[in-house]
Amino acid sequence: MTDNLSDIEFVRQMLRRPERHLDRLTVEFRWEVTRRHPVYLQLWQVHQASQEMSPPGSWQELRQIEDVISACNAIRVVSEPVDPALSFAELSAMDPSGLFHCNALQPITVKMMLGLIGKHLSSDSLRQVAQSFTRLADGKDGALDTNEALIAFAEIINSVEPEMEAVMPGPFYVVSPVAPREQWQEDMARCQNYWREQLNLEPSRDRPRDYSNYLRAWDLSEGFGGGRYNRDGAKSFAEVGRVLSKDESTIRRWYHRAFFLITGHEFSNENWHSVMGFQQLSGFMGLTISPVCRERLKRANSQQHDVDFSTVQQDADFLDTATAPLPAADLRVICARICQLIEDGLTDGEIIDQVEIEFGPQQDLDEAEICNAINYLRSRDDVRRDYLGEL
């Protein structure tokens, strides 16, 4: 079984989802973004491989392995993986009660309660709880008088120790099913406001109705379909724009928002390599790297430079790098490359894509400032002649 786990060892360096990222999404999109996450796809493949063994391995056994634990923790998934090819409607049909498909409210399982207890109690309190549970178990199986076991358990319930009486640090409540609906709504709104403030949660800037568009741009860009990534299906933003009849800047924005939905982190080339590099750029399982992803790989392992376009001005100081961290020659190389791409007839969006691929992580190359540089170089032949003629 160890050999089957080699494909998920990369999660030790994986960009992990923030703890409450999925809570911001509806249940439908929690599933949609999770089934697109490369770590989830690897968990599914490992689970499938274990079931084909003789004898078949169970999820419970896999869940005890360190790499699987790390993978689950990385994407905040604890349940047994299901087929990522399933639609949300098909997944919903697997839960007839519908309780796990509520958006704002989720039932809490026994293992979740035990996990919270283990996380927030001190070692001394945990030992006290363990002893009481042991005595309760002895009472249930007849090894100890039942009353004695219940008395031991009551010591926990009636404890006045501050740690035992502390309120759980999260929105966990006992809800009365007989309370008036209006009271439910009023109490829920008040609790939500309280915990948003306590946890310093900012309102989402996305509009859920746009999530489907974000994921469509992602799927076409990364070649996702049928519950897997098809490397040969990856497309450039320009190609995706033609398919969806949108301009490249819109596709790029949608793609970046999809990256945030899936990972919980803002897009950058560095973050993309952390999340998607193993899926799209490694040679595992003998897969080749698509031309689109090969372009993304350029300079990935070379030393990255901090390029600063803040000095791009529409005056004679266009190439003044007094406040930039790079030597003037490095900035001139970038500008010369932009000029060459302009002369090759590339659109602004295609130039931005190429500059980001060739010259470093997106967080170090501000897109708006690259656009300013492009616009300026398009309009200033004298800049190209006087400053770049010798390059």
Side-chain angles (χ1 to χ4, degrees), residues 35-36 41 215-237 239-240 255 272 276 279-280 290 292-293 296:
R35 74 188 184 110
R36 287 168 168 80
L41 299 183
L215 295 180
R216 287 173 67 200
W218 173 271
D219 291 350
L220 289 169
S221 297
E222 297 290 355
F224 181 83
R228 60 184 293 270
Y229 285 99
N230 175 12
R231 291 188 177 197
D232 293 334
K235 293 180 172 60
S236 67
F237 291 155
E239 292 174 311
V240 175
Y255 176 89
W272 183 89
M276 296 299 297
Q279 178 68 52
Q280 298 287 46
S290 73
V292 171
C293 291
R296 295 170 181 170

Side-chain angles (χ1 to χ4, degrees), residues 4 61 63 67 86 104 106 123 144 149 178 195 200 230 237 249 261 306 327 356 378:
N4 292 328
E61 293 172 327
R63 195 64 176 84
D67 285 326
L86 291 175
Q106 288 286 298
S123 56
L144 183 69
V178 298
W195 284 108
N200 195 29
N230 175 12
F237 291 155
S249 62
L261 292 178
D306 295 326
E356 289 178 349
R378 284 188 186 278

Side-chain angles (χ1 to χ4, degrees), residues 311-312 316-324 331 387:
T311 57
V312 174
D317 296 326
F318 175 70
L319 289 179
D320 178 17
T321 58
T323 60
L331 183 58
Y387 288 91

Side-chain angles (χ1 to χ4, degrees), residues 159-291:
S159 174
V160 294
E161 292 290 332
E163 193 172 31
M164 295 292 192
E165 291 193 315
V167 175
M168 294 295 290
F172 303 101
Y173 293 90
V174 175
V175 179
S176 171
V178 298
R181 179 183 296 273
E182 293 77 8
Q183 189 65 52
W184 269 54
Q185 295 172 339
E186 179 181 338
D187 291 348
M188 283 292 295
R190 185 168 63 252
C191 289
Q192 183 184 41
N193 291 335
Y194 172 81
W195 284 108
R196 279 187 176 276
E197 181 178 347
Q198 291 296 309
L199 299 173
N200 195 29
L201 299 177
E202 297 293 334
S204 173
R205 62 183 177 179
D206 282 332
R207 296 175 296 180
R209 66 175 180 270
D210 291 336
Y211 287 176
S212 294
N213 287 333
Y214 301 162
L215 295 180
R216 287 173 67 200
W218 173 271
D219 291 350
L220 289 169
S221 297
E222 297 290 355
F224 181 83
R228 60 184 293 270
Y229 285 99
N230 175 12
R231 291 188 177 197
D232 293 334
K235 293 180 172 60
S236 67
F237 291 155
E239 292 174 311
V240 175
R242 288 192 285 270
V243 172
L244 299 182
S245 300
K246 296 290 181 180
D247 59 74
E248 292 176 50
S249 62
T250 297
I251 297 302
R252 183 179 294 102
R253 178 173 59 82
W254 284 0
Y255 176 89
H256 288 180
R257 297 316 302 155
F259 184 89
F260 177 78
L261 292 178
I262 292 168
T263 69
H265 297 269
E266 295 295 340
F267 174 85
S268 70
N269 282 351
E270 181 181 359
N271 285 348
W272 183 89
H273 283 291
S274 177
V275 175
M276 296 299 297
F278 181 84
Q279 178 68 52
Q280 298 287 46
L281 302 178
S282 73
F284 77 100
M285 298 175 64
L287 296 176
T288 58
I289 301 175
S290 73

Side-chain angles (χ1 to χ4, degrees), residues 18-33:
E19 183 175 358
R20 297 186 179 278
H21 174 64
L22 291 179
D23 292 346
R24 294 177 177 272
L25 308 178
T26 64
V27 175
E28 176 180 359
F29 283 102
R30 290 177 202 173
W31 168 242
E32 292 298 343
V33 302

